[in-house]
Amino acid sequence: DNHIMEHKLSKVGVSTARAIIALSPMGVEPDEADSTMVRQVLALNSCELSAHIVVEMQDIDNKALITMVSPDNVEVVVAHDIIGRLMIQCAREPGLAHVIESLLGFDGDEFYFENWEKLTGCTFFEVTCRFDDAVPIGVKKASGYIDINPPNDYVIQENDRILCLAEDNDTYTANDGSFLSKCIVLSQKLKAAKMTIPRRGKEKLLFCGWRRDMADMIVQLDEYVAPGSELWLFNQVPASERVELLKDKDNKDEVRCSHLAIKNVVGNPIVRRHLKILNAVDNNGEALNEVSTVDQFDSILILSDEDASTCEDSDSRSIATLLIIQDVQRNLIDKKKKLMMDEKMNSSSSSETITAKVLPITTVDGDTTDMNNNTNENDDETEYLCHEHKCVPISEILDTRTRSLLSVVGCTGYVMSNHIVSLWMSQVAEDRDMNAVLSELLSAKGCETYIRSVDHYIHISSCQEEEQKAVYCFWDLALLARQRREVAIGYKPHNMEWRDSTDLILNPPNKNVPRVWDMKDMLLVIAFD
């Protein structure tokens, strides 16, 4: 039936709906689909709605059209934009896809706003330990502004609603605060042990495939990475056509990057010989004598094939590319490890007669050093260099049924893009404020979700050197994170897979119960940087 006609909408009782989701039409050009959604919103508003509308758009540049015709009761969700930002973050933070899917799903923990009269006058730092079964994330002020990860000294006002991560809106309540003083004393004692989290240096990234909104993804990625980073674009689109495609029929300006250098590679991502060696070309398709291999990238992103006839066909190509890349990575790393070991053996053999004659010497401090042990001192370095260190390729998967196939071959690097967009829209339908919250968490501006080593907070390595155990509760780490203005939302033990850590990565239970932390444990935080 024609859903953009007013009399058709009135027949289904849209005026009595609690929320309305308007999905973008498939199989048409993005601008045409978005213009249809503008008329859809106008038709809905003519029905005297009491509910808010969640509208799916295809192009981020058309989002303003909806704001013009309906500024107050519509939440716009641009699916391509969400998927692009999500893929970029997940490629740079392995494991984040599991966290995001858990955040958006209705099975586990979700975001809830609630006013807590007994917490009025408390600082946000003090609120950290006031919920046994929830994690406070931010505050919605009386003005309507949502402040995620506010300053520690922000005082909760009478009409503020605290944003919490909890199983349900009736599964948590504020405690009496008796545990707070103990935690604060410990966190202040450990403050001197606080470490500086290392910033990312230059990155080298590979995008396999092409998307209509590639220009938007490049601009977003440029905001994340450090100056001097490289983005290699590997797909079948001729290099001479890419500049115009990035302009999207002159709807966009030419892409200009501040931090990224773009390298073009032409080839088929499902052909092994094309993936073995990547040769960069200029805009005319001429070779630039710049070569790379898939084991040299910090992040690899496999984009879905938009030209495929079905989701199954697209996923089949993505899986094939993922498996080939992993196999090529493995073979290249094995060859490098063998070469390094051979060089080490040859070096040791050629210097054997010389090192045998070296005598112990006495340093200025009076310490005696055996120079014969010099070759052994490099063992750890050689072992590290030979260690299998490769990035996990992240593939976009469209059909949720493909997930079971990926588990058969042990692939963990994937993002269920359509599924996540569906969850996003469902969350916004339940509470329209979720659009602002989720948008900030998936944006380079504002707060983001990070996965960080616990050792950055409690110096586990120092404890192990002193033969001590790092025994702290989750709230101890949460308060240490607050000293950096971060919100700890969960953790992943080093000996558990992401899929087995669902109950711990978000809003873990027993927050006041001490546990022994390992330096390989990971803490999940919401932070500005």
Side-chain angles (χ1 to χ4, degrees):
D1 222 339
N2 196 336
H3 51 79
I4 62 174
M5 303 301 293
E6 297 91 326
H7 68 282
K8 297 290 186 180
L9 292 170
S10 62
K11 287 183 177 180
V12 297
V14 292
S15 59
T16 61
R18 186 167 61 89
I20 299 169
I21 298 178
L23 299 176
S24 179
M26 299 177 62
V28 296
E29 288 293 316
D31 289 334
E32 182 180 344
D34 290 347
S35 63
T36 300
M37 299 314 295
V38 173
R39 177 164 181 174
Q40 176 74 86
V41 171
L42 291 172
L44 286 168
N45 281 336
S46 68
C47 298
E48 299 181 356
L49 301 178
S50 59
H52 66 280
I53 309 169
V54 184
V55 179
E56 181 187 15
M57 302 283 282
Q58 293 194 23
D59 196 319
I60 187 67
D61 296 328
N62 294 329
K63 181 177 179 180
L65 296 175
I66 298 295
T67 306
M68 291 170 58
V69 301
S70 185
D72 299 324
N73 70 326
V74 176
E75 293 294 330
V76 180
V77 175
V78 184
H80 265 72
D81 182 58
I82 291 172
I83 294 169
R85 285 187 285 168
L86 179 65
M87 294 286 289
I88 289 172
Q89 286 200 13
C90 291
R92 299 176 73 244
E93 288 276 358
L96 187 59
H98 298 273
V99 179
I100 298 298
E101 193 168 342
S102 297
L103 273 174
L104 294 173
F106 289 93
D107 293 335
D109 294 282
E110 306 162 43
F111 290 116
Y112 295 98
F113 289 97
E114 190 69 44
N115 177 266
W116 297 94
E117 184 178 347
K118 64 189 301 184
L119 298 182
T120 300
C122 295
T123 65
F124 192 77
F125 182 85
E126 295 170 338
V127 170
T128 301
C129 301
R130 293 302 300 270
F131 297 100
D132 296 338
D133 301 303
V135 176
I137 304 294
V139 175
K140 182 179 181 181
K141 301 178 181 180
S143 63
Y145 174 70
I146 300 173
D147 191 357
I148 299 176
N149 186 19
N152 285 332
D153 58 359
Y154 175 78
V155 178
I156 306 299
Q157 304 299 309
E158 182 179 358
N159 294 319
D160 285 350
R161 300 176 66 199
I162 299 176
L163 172 63
C164 284
L165 189 62
E167 184 178 354
D168 211 335
N169 59 353
D170 59 356
T171 59
Y172 69 105
T173 185
N175 59 37
D176 59 8
S178 58
F179 194 78
L180 180 64
S181 58
K182 177 184 174 183
C183 277
I184 289 179
V185 170
L186 180 58
S187 68
Q188 291 175 343
K189 181 180 178 181
L190 294 173
K191 187 174 183 179
K194 188 170 61 172
M195 295 176 65
T196 300
I197 295 176
R199 292 183 177 272
R200 289 178 182 265
K202 295 186 293 185
E203 298 179 56
K204 189 173 182 179
L205 305 98
L206 173 66
F207 282 7
C208 294
W210 187 268
R211 288 170 60 95
R212 173 182 54 79
D213 60 343
M214 182 67 81
D216 295 327
M217 288 189 68
I218 294 173
V219 171
Q220 291 163 6
L221 180 61
D222 190 56
E223 296 178 352
Y224 283 102
V225 298
S229 298
E230 294 181 1
L231 172 61
W232 290 56
L233 300 177
F234 174 54
N235 51 72
Q236 299 182 77
V237 178
S240 58
E241 299 178 12
R242 296 185 186 185
V243 174
E244 291 303 317
L245 285 175
L246 290 173
K247 290 182 180 179
D248 191 19
K249 301 177 182 178
D250 287 330
N251 289 324
K252 301 180 184 295
D253 296 328
E254 185 176 345
V255 175
R256 299 185 183 277
C257 299
S258 302
H259 302 154
L260 276 174
I262 307 298
K263 309 290 182 180
N264 288 309
V265 182
V266 180
N268 191 337
I270 63 172
V271 177
R272 176 182 288 271
R273 62 186 174 86
H274 291 178
L275 280 164
K276 282 186 175 181
I277 299 179
L278 305 179
N279 295 284
V281 298
D282 61 18
N283 290 339
N284 296 318
E286 300 294 331
L288 293 174
N289 295 322
E290 294 185 52
V291 178
S292 188
T293 52
V294 293
D295 62 318
Q296 296 175 343
F297 291 94
D298 300 299
S299 303
I300 298 177
L301 210 54
I302 302 169
L303 306 174
S304 65
D305 185 0
E306 294 184 338
D307 293 330
S309 57
T310 64
C311 291
E312 291 87 346
D313 291 341
S314 175
D315 286 354
S316 297
R317 291 180 60 89
S318 297
I319 292 175
T321 303
L322 179 64
L323 293 174
I324 294 172
I325 289 177
Q326 289 181 329
D327 190 49
V328 173
Q329 279 181 328
R330 191 180 305 112
N331 291 337
L332 289 169
I333 290 172
D334 287 344
K335 288 181 180 179
K336 289 182 179 180
K337 288 166 66 176
K338 185 178 184 303
L339 180 61
M340 293 180 67
M341 293 302 294
D342 289 344
E343 290 178 351
K344 181 183 175 183
M345 292 293 292
N346 293 336
S347 176
S348 299
S349 176
S350 62
S351 61
E352 182 177 1
T353 57
I354 299 176
T355 57
K357 297 178 182 179
V358 177
L359 297 176
I361 63 174
T362 303
T363 65
V364 175
D365 297 328
D367 295 325
T368 300
T369 303
D370 187 354
M371 298 302 293
N372 290 333
N373 290 331
N374 279 356
T375 55
N376 294 332
E377 290 175 358
N378 294 324
D379 285 350
D380 291 339
E381 180 180 358
T382 304
E383 182 180 352
Y384 171 76
L385 291 173
C386 292
H387 180 66
E388 183 176 330
H389 180 71
K390 64 178 185 294
C391 72
V392 177
I394 301 296
S395 177
E396 179 183 1
I397 299 298
L398 303 180
D399 193 331
T400 54
R401 294 172 294 182
T402 307
R403 188 202 304 262
S404 59
L405 302 180
L406 291 169
S407 62
V408 171
V409 293
C411 293
T412 58
Y414 59 87
V415 174
M416 311 294 297
S417 57
N418 285 346
H419 179 57
I420 286 179
V421 171
S422 299
L423 293 174
W424 183 303
M425 297 189 71
S426 299
Q427 290 278 2
V428 178
E430 284 291 316
D431 187 342
R432 64 180 303 183
D433 288 330
M434 286 300 101
N435 204 20
V437 173
L438 297 173
S439 294
E440 178 168 342
L441 294 180
L442 286 181
S443 171
K445 300 175 182 178
C447 286
E448 304 169 48
T449 306
Y450 293 94
I451 303 171
R452 291 175 173 162
S453 170
V454 172
D455 197 41
H456 290 321
Y457 299 86
I458 50 178
H459 277 203
I460 297 177
S461 53
S462 300
C463 294
Q464 292 177 344
E465 290 174 2
E466 299 172 5
E467 297 184 353
Q468 297 178 352
K469 292 183 177 180
V471 182
Y472 304 102
C473 67
F474 176 77
W475 273 340
D476 293 331
L477 269 70
L479 288 173
L480 288 172
R482 285 309 304 166
Q483 293 177 5
R484 291 198 185 100
R485 196 176 171 183
E486 299 175 354
V487 178
I489 59 175
Y491 64 93
K492 189 191 87 69
H494 69 285
N495 55 356
M496 294 180 68
E497 297 293 335
W498 283 103
R499 60 177 177 270
D500 301 324
S501 308
T502 306
D503 294 337
L504 300 176
I505 60 176
L506 297 176
N507 185 28
N510 305 317
K511 297 178 180 61
N512 62 339
V513 178
R515 69 181 298 271
V516 178
W517 296 89
D518 187 277
M519 65 186 305
K520 295 181 181 179
D521 292 342
M522 307 303 291
L523 190 68
L524 280 70
V525 298
I526 293 175
F528 284 97
D529 196 359

